[in-house]
Amino acid sequence: MRSQIVSDYEQLSVIPTSGILGAEVTGRDRPLDLADLDETTFAELHRAWLDHRVLFFRDQDLTIEQLEAFTERWGEFGDNPFVEPMAGHPAVVEVLKEAHETDMTNFGGGWHCDWSFMETPPSATILYAREIPAWGGDTLFADLERAWETLSPSMQDLLHGIQAVHSARRSYAPTGSLGDGDDPRRTMKVTASETAYDTTLHPLVRTHVETGRKSLWVNGIYTIGLDGFTPAESTALLGFLIDHTEQQGFTCRFRWAPGSLAMWDNRCVQHNALNDYDGHRRLLWRTTVRGERPS
Ligand code: SIN
């Protein structure tokens, strides 16, 4: 069971974004500068992150190096398969859709946990907004802990011990939704590959290593089946579970502005970048923190 959300922060003001997850964080007595955090403030930030699972910050003025340094306070950089990082900054990916990229799948579109097909998917993703359309381009987040907690005890009993099959194929195989690397209109450098067909097994019910809380750890982009089930059984049960995780009541929504930064916990949160701003440029810098093998 989740802990009571505490609001006894000394350095921070932490305002929940929805009744489920997410919080906007500012300094209590002075502006919060993510490039200049003392140990006490960082420890409070860590606690707020575990309590709310997605944190949002406004009006940050970070260089790439400061974004890298902020990321490294949380752990080692994660890897970035299939996407080319920024020149000279191997841990930073530019999430970019140009105004001319109309009627195309956007990077990050559709509900997913980042790189859940990896053996050790990232624990955290950090996204820092540089250029944001005048309207549209919000990101949705959904709480996989609440998804787990709201299943019946009978369904929870059934799901314990099941391994889910994760794969990058729907996005990064040559026929995948982002596998159009040859399309000259796409500005993000995506390298589609046969390796996207590889599969990885992860527990359907994941226990968070820091909080001990359980999540229903599936997502509609990368979870392609349930191990040990027939295709028909897997389609029916997984389809139900994915629909369950995507309920509006488990979500919060973030409206970006240049200088906004979001940091989410991939171990218990999925997200979905809305693609409703064709004809406008959207640019964010993205880093990840290396995670552990889900268990
Ligand atoms: C992502 O999935 O990492 C990108 C999310 C976004 O662009 O809002």
Side-chain angles (χ1 to χ4, degrees):
M1 193 64 191
R2 85 189 48 225
S3 63
Q4 197 72 25
I5 297 299
V6 287
S7 52
D8 58 340
Y9 302 99
E10 285 178 10
Q11 313 293 329
L12 303 175
S13 164
V14 179
I15 310 291
T17 307
S18 79
I20 299 296
L21 83 165
E24 196 153 326
V25 182
T26 56
R28 188 173 272 268
D29 301 319
R30 61 195 170 97
L32 188 68
D33 178 0
L34 297 180
D36 183 22
L37 293 173
D38 59 39
E39 286 304 323
T40 313
T41 311
F42 183 76
E44 285 200 351
L45 213 51
H46 193 169
R47 182 153 60 87
W49 186 55
L50 295 179
D51 277 341
H52 296 275
R53 301 174 288 294
V54 196
L55 298 183
F56 305 112
F57 307 89
R58 299 280 182 192
D59 302 321
Q60 297 297 311
D61 185 14
L62 303 179
T63 63
I64 297 183
E65 291 77 14
Q66 286 169 329
L67 176 66
E68 290 167 330
F70 175 68
T71 306
E72 284 190 292
R73 290 194 74 163
W74 299 88
E76 270 178 63
F77 290 130
D79 295 325
N80 285 304
F82 305 113
V83 285
E84 197 173 293
M86 199 187 274
H89 296 277
V92 183
V93 168
E94 281 191 308
V95 176
L96 172 63
K97 195 171 92 122
E98 290 284 6
H100 66 259
E101 294 181 69
T102 55
D103 297 322
M104 295 177 78
T105 306
N106 61 325
F107 179 85
W111 285 107
H112 64 288
C113 299
D114 283 328
W115 307 147
S116 73
F117 53 84
M118 293 172 74
E119 293 211 344
T120 54
S123 54
T125 302
I126 295 171
L127 196 58
Y128 176 49
R130 306 289 299 169
E131 288 179 52
I132 294 298
W135 53 82
D138 295 1
T139 307
L140 309 178
F141 297 88
D143 186 0
L144 298 174
E145 290 179 357
R146 184 54 63 98
W148 170 252
E149 290 164 4
T150 48
L151 292 170
S152 66
S154 304
M155 180 59 90
Q156 290 184 342
D157 284 347
L158 172 72
L159 300 184
H160 268 301
I162 295 177
Q163 298 280 312
V165 184
H166 294 248
S167 164
R169 67 187 59 176
R170 290 187 185 134
S171 302
Y172 298 107
T175 53
S177 59
L178 295 167
D180 52 3
D182 296 340
D183 186 331
R185 290 180 309 147
R186 190 174 289 285
T187 17
M188 276 186 78
K189 295 284 164 274
V190 174
T191 312
S193 159
E194 296 292 324
T195 63
Y197 289 105
D198 292 350
T199 56
T200 312
L201 294 182
H202 291 308
L204 192 58
V205 186
R206 180 172 183 173
T207 305
H208 197 292
V209 286
E210 292 189 78
T211 65
R213 296 194 294 254
K214 289 187 170 136
S215 288
L216 180 58
W217 209 64
V218 290
N219 65 87
I221 297 279
Y222 299 133
T223 315
I224 61 165
L226 299 178
D227 191 44
F229 288 78
T230 67
E233 290 167 344
S234 173
T235 301
L237 182 53
L238 185 57
F240 163 76
L241 294 173
I242 286 172
D243 285 350
H244 177 73
T245 64
E246 295 177 359
Q247 290 179 60
Q248 182 184 312
F250 300 161
T251 66
C252 73
R253 176 173 184 147
F254 187 57
R255 170 79 197 128
W256 297 92
S260 303
L261 185 144
M263 171 172 182
W264 60 88
D265 190 334
N266 270 300
R267 300 167 292 186
C268 53
V269 170
Q270 62 173 345
H271 59 284
N272 182 355
L274 298 185
N275 192 8
D276 55 357
Y277 56 95
D278 268 4
H280 299 266
R281 186 172 210 255
R282 181 177 184 270
L283 170 67
L284 307 96
W285 293 342
R286 177 186 187 269
T287 58
T288 59
V289 179
R290 187 180 299 280
E292 65 286 332
R293 199 178 172 107
S295 62

